[in-house]
Amino acid sequence: GVQQGVERTLRWMMPARFVMMLLLVGTGRAMPGAMAGVRQFLMPDFSHLTGQGVLDALGLAFFSLSIGLGVHTTYGAYLPSSEGVGRSSLWVVLLASVIAVLDGMMIFTVLAATGIDPSSGPGLTFMTMPAVFNHLPFGQGLAVIFFLLLLVAALSSSISMLEHLVRFTTEEWGWSRRNACRV
């Protein structure tokens, strides 16, 4: 479930992912040539921005904030009445933005240091992070932990997308939560 499953697991896994991201940003910035990636990330050349690029950015924003799927309404149903929806929404936007900036710093520093083409597509994390882990002691073990945390983050998003259906079938049709999850 959301409170006893996803929430309990993510309570410690997401801070662990955040700490690992800080480590990776620091390690990436220490690589030779990495500052060019910082400049490219923080001072983009908007002359290369296309309409498709704007649509892609909006799609990412809608997905990362769960607006496009309406997941926030399901999670809002789990909030205690004393918790303000507005305040919680601001925290979500703030934290999603901080994570996005850290992700960008994590990727672009390594792109510049290794010469990987930034237009290589959505798999950049899988191309750049091994280069960073090669610079760290116990890098292979840290890589396994990082990619497991990334997997859990992806799975938690998938679970939240299915929670609408589970909640609907339990409330409207009287199914048990277990049966709704199975189906």
Side-chain angles (χ1 to χ4, degrees), residues 96-117:
S97 299
V98 167
I99 295 297
V101 169
L102 284 176
D103 279 339
M105 294 290 287
M106 194 172 71
I107 300 294
F108 274 83
T109 55
V110 181
L111 288 175
T114 60
I116 297 172
D117 181 15

Side-chain angles (χ1 to χ4, degrees), residues 15-151:
R17 182 173 178 262
F18 184 78
V19 168
M20 184 162 278
M21 287 175 69
L22 292 175
L23 170 75
L24 295 173
V25 168
T27 304
R29 286 193 58 211
M31 295 172 73
M35 289 311 290
V38 172
R39 283 189 295 280
Q40 184 181 11
F41 179 67
L42 296 178
M43 296 181 288
D45 180 1
F46 289 107
S47 67
H48 294 286
L49 184 62
T50 64
Q52 184 61 46
V54 171
L55 285 175
D56 290 345
L58 287 172
L60 176 64
F62 276 86
F63 178 77
S64 65
L65 296 175
S66 301
I67 295 170
L69 299 171
V71 173
H72 60 285
T73 57
T74 301
Y75 283 129
Y78 287 99
L79 282 175
S81 58
S82 62
E83 185 80 27
V85 173
R87 193 175 112 195
S88 295
S89 299
L90 287 175
W91 272 110
V92 168
V93 170
L94 176 69
L95 291 173
S97 299
V98 167
I99 295 297
V101 169
L102 284 176
D103 279 339
M105 294 290 287
M106 194 172 71
I107 300 294
F108 274 83
T109 55
V110 181
L111 288 175
T114 60
I116 297 172
D117 181 15
S119 64
S120 295
L124 286 174
T125 299
F126 301 101
M127 292 180 223
T128 56
M129 290 303 97
V132 176
F133 289 117
N134 286 335
H135 284 81
L136 291 170
F138 310 106
Q140 288 182 341
L142 290 171
V144 169
I145 293 168
F146 173 79
F147 286 113
L148 282 174
L149 290 171
L150 193 60
L151 175 67

